[in-house]
Amino acid sequence: MLEHGHTGGLTRSPGALPSSALLERGHLRLLTFNLQVGIQTSAYHHYLTRSWQHVLPNPQRIKRLALVGSVLEQFDVVGLQEVDGGSFRSSRVNQVEYLAAQAKFPHYFQQLNRNLGQFAQHSNGLLSRLTPSHIEEHRLPGMLPGRGAIHVRYGEGPDALHIFVAHLALSHRGRVRQLDYLSDIIEPLRHVVVMGDLNCTPDQLHAHERFSTSLPLHPVKPLLSYPSWQPRRALDHILLSQTLEAAEVRVLDHLFSDHLPIAVDLPLPAACLSSISANVEQ
């Protein structure tokens, strides 16, 4: 099911770099991060001993978010997974909105994927310094509801830049259906970035024929992101269409979550820059 989203937080933050000035650099700094709702995890036993933080507030959580915000300030477009939209466990703090303010992002979008009322607001998030031309949110198929993807477009026409922020299912069957769904949307597009916690390795992505055909992937060395304290698996990804080439790909230091953030420096093709520049705020 496809729903048309809205762009939240369109008031420009004080000191935010205008989109036109940002584009003069010719590249975007992208980041994806599974925040785990601000729970500090640095050992397997923390999944048990700190599990209460998934349902109850913790006064340390807001301090951690402030530190995360200081790191996010280095980037231009950030995709967030496992953020809370403002419930009892997050002390009523909308973590997407809070991080946008902390890191001085003028635009943000929260996708509520699993609404547990006052107890939890499971969400994805997008933070952007560029003005989006359009945002859509997708409810991904699966046995259990609650997985989603954000589709943001910068610019118009065939050379627009399309960025997807996704959090896929844990089960193989669920991921296959979700990758099928995304493949149908991505296939006709030219300049595409898919980023998020995809809960699968590069080999598993390549084994999905429809997805690897719709988004032929550059042979980038897998970046191990999980578990954050001793990373052994590449589950978090920033995937690029063949029209795009990463200048730098790196893993950031441990930021409390059980996942490590992944960052990419992305030079944009001239035609893509022109499309975006024609549709941004001056």
Side-chain angles (χ1 to χ4, degrees), residues 267-280:
L268 294 174
C272 188
L273 275 170
S274 296
S275 175
I276 299 171
S277 297
N279 288 273
V280 301

Side-chain angles (χ1 to χ4, degrees), residues 175-216:
R175 287 195 306 273
V176 167
R177 292 181 61 191
Q178 291 162 7
L179 288 170
D180 283 342
Y181 180 96
L182 291 173
S183 298
D184 289 340
I185 302 168
I186 292 168
E187 194 276 330
L189 306 178
R190 179 170 170 78
H191 308 297
V192 180
V193 177
V194 176
M195 60 182 181
D197 176 4
L198 304 187
N199 271 313
C200 55
T201 66
D203 286 344
Q204 290 171 315
L205 286 171
H206 283 286
H208 191 286
E209 186 175 352
R210 287 182 64 188
F211 185 74
S212 57
T213 299
S214 66
L215 186 69

Side-chain angles (χ1 to χ4, degrees), residues 31-88:
L31 181 101
T32 183
F33 184 32
N34 180 323
L35 192 69
Q36 203 194 13
V37 297
I39 298 173
Q40 184 170 10
T41 305
S42 53
Y44 282 112
H45 69 266
H46 289 161
Y47 285 119
L48 177 62
T49 60
R50 298 178 181 178
S51 61
W52 60 272
Q53 295 182 40
H54 284 283
V55 293
L56 297 174
N58 181 347
Q60 296 300 315
R61 199 182 313 242
I62 199 70
K63 296 178 183 178
R64 295 175 196 143
L65 286 179
L67 292 171
V68 170
S70 67
V71 174
L72 301 188
E73 199 168 354
Q74 306 168 38
F75 298 92
D76 304 315
V77 180
V78 174
L80 299 169
Q81 305 88 51
E82 288 196 37
V83 282
D84 193 90
S87 66
F88 177 67

